[in-house]
Amino acid sequence: MAVSKSDFLNYTRCPRFVALAELRKEKLDADLSYAEYQEQERLEQIQEILGNMFEDETYEHDLTQKVNAQLEALMPFYKQVEIEAGGLANKYFGGKSKYAAATKNQECFEFNQKGIKYVCYVDIYNENKQGINIIEVKATTSNKYLKLLGSFPKKEKYPIFYFNVDKNTYFLKDEIDYPLNQEMPDEVFAKNKAKLFDRYTDVGKYVYDLAVQRYIIEGEYRSSGNAAALENIHYYLAILNHEYVFDGSYIDGVADYKKDAAGHELIVFIDLTKVTAEYQKIIAEDEARLEKYIFALDGSPVPMGIWCERKKMRECPFLAPICGKDIPAKNSALNYLNNGFGFKNEDNERLKGLDLINHGYLEMLDIPEEWITNPKHHIQRDAVRFGKEYIDKEKIAAGLSLIEYPIYHLDFETMPCPLPRFRGEKPYMQSPFEFSLHIETEPGKCDKLKDNYIFLAKTNTEDEREELVKKLIEYIDGDKGTLFAQNVSFEKGRIKELAAIFPEYRERLMKIYDRGFDLMWLVNTNAKLYEELGFDKKRSALPNYYHKDLSGSYSIKKTLPVFSDLSYANLEVKNGTEAIVAYANYNKMTKEEYQLMYQALIEYCRQDTWAMVVILEALRHICQ
Ligand code: SF4
């Protein structure tokens, strides 16, 4: 049987996975074809892009099959990242590089152990005078690694990585000649570095991938009696540079990602040679577990945990249908608000996340009353127990009194592309391609169609942002009224970025920016705002409204059906992910399909701002 790098990651999650996977595969001893390997890589790469485009929790996990097929549109971006990384490997490492967008052209390594064949393909295989460089390309960004910061108490924070401009490479500061003790104590550095060794963190998952890669490569060298060559192999990640700003140059219509004005390259490397060497002991233990699981093939239930990666891009495919099938879809023990730390039980032990489910606490009301210390959780329980909504009319009314008219209900649809497409963009920057605006001139005076203004880009290849900006400042008077949005910081963030890219409209845009107010401050809360309005600290922190159907979420898809008969269920485009894939697929559509999808995008975005109008009206009624 063959185990790919992806299989390795999955099969070592827990003892049960391999049994569930193999039972489905029917043939335990099947080999792994190129086509199967490519398919695995394709799925992983799509997951990776989506994982970087969305915060895991905000991604719509219930994508339809149709949308999954459309996610294909994101693949060219991944391939382009690989090609750009290959070009820069040649530039900075010298020698010869083997890389290609197609997996079958990549260098393959494999070795056999106990009847199991371990296989991996290398994204970039570089040979220069110093030896061999193995470079794994990931469509993620460098800022994740630069967020590993340390300091002395109350002193400035510093990253644990040092950037060598000449090599376009990050190095861990403890691996080079660097005055680390002037920036942070050793233990602080070690604590941050340890995150690289946790395969379930944002930074650690890529390091684990590279370490598994190294394990398989070293396995091949050792089994072929060539262990001496291992000393000259170096291991790197190639990732997108979060500081890179695209200047909008194209050659024959193709973006030219040369160095930016500040000297940044699009891709940077991270030297993980020593880290992955340290990691080999852990990978060997994981491999031993994997063999044990494969030979035992025991599908009996095991505890769920971090390894299931619930609500993450790499969520175990067996979580929803098998292991976690008893977790209620609504008001489960996992739906308590802001409950990352879980609950303390009678023995002072903390139970959180899937551990609650493991211990049989499935429903929200299964959690013993004595464990509840957060007043928000009492509100949630009472809403479920008595079916009665919770309302703090005074706070809602106080919030409403702050809103100036006209209200500009605004929502952007954006494309967070791994590769910047237009001038002034950075990797994964949220590039607006659509907005919907409902203008409410006085309380309740807003027509769904007549007072709605939409801008939607006609292509995904031309830069239509200036047109979008012009429409925005044409419709919104920055001298009066309120910019109103669900999660207004997102809309404000896009306006600020557009103001920086188009300085000629900066003044007008920033006036709009300054008038932001969030729907969430009315439905949920904004503790600081309500304290300023004279409410005490405890009350200010509590939600203004709660209904059992919210099930621990204030997303507009949850609040709209609570306050109205409207929902997103009947729309062709139902969520932000679907909107992005629809836009990304423009070029693959027939004329008729394009027209239908264009209209569907209009309907979806309009629904987002109309939902705000409807909810706001419902809140006014509640306060009467
Ligand atoms: S859902 Fe969790 S426990 Fe179940 S097979 Fe997957 S990783 Fe293992």
Side-chain angles (χ1 to χ4, degrees), residues 131-166:
I132 294 168
N133 299 298
I134 303 291
I135 305 166
E136 186 73 356
V137 182
K138 298 289 180 192
T140 189
T141 55
S142 44
N143 58 340
K144 285 183 186 158
Y145 291 87
L146 295 185
K147 279 184 194 156
L148 298 176
L149 299 163
S151 69
F152 285 101
K154 297 186 183 166
K155 289 278 178 335
E156 195 182 335
K157 289 190 167 163
Y158 295 93
I160 66 169
F161 284 98
Y162 169 81
F163 187 61
N164 181 320
V165 182
D166 297 335

Side-chain angles (χ1 to χ4, degrees), residues 13 19 78 309 354 361 396 448 517 522 545 564 586 619:
R13 282 175 189 261
Y78 204 103
E309 302 197 66
L354 288 169
Y361 302 104
I396 297 174
K448 185 175 180 182
F517 196 95
L522 297 174
Y545 181 87
S564 74
Y586 269 1
L619 291 171

Side-chain angles (χ1 to χ4, degrees), residues 413 557 573-576 600-608:
E413 296 306 323
K557 271 85 187 165
V573 172
K574 295 180 180 55
N575 55 54
L601 280 169
I602 287 177
E603 301 290 342
Y604 166 69
C605 202
R606 176 185 290 140
Q607 177 89 333
D608 269 345

Side-chain angles (χ1 to χ4, degrees), residues 307-336:
W307 45 91
C308 308
E309 302 197 66
R310 181 175 178 268
K311 295 252 179 205
K312 295 200 169 172
M313 279 309 146
R314 290 185 179 180
E315 180 176 293
C316 175
F318 304 120
L319 182 62
I322 301 176
C323 305
K325 68 178 184 337
D326 295 329
I327 302 173
K330 269 188 177 181
N331 294 315
S332 80
L334 305 176
N335 292 135
Y336 279 101

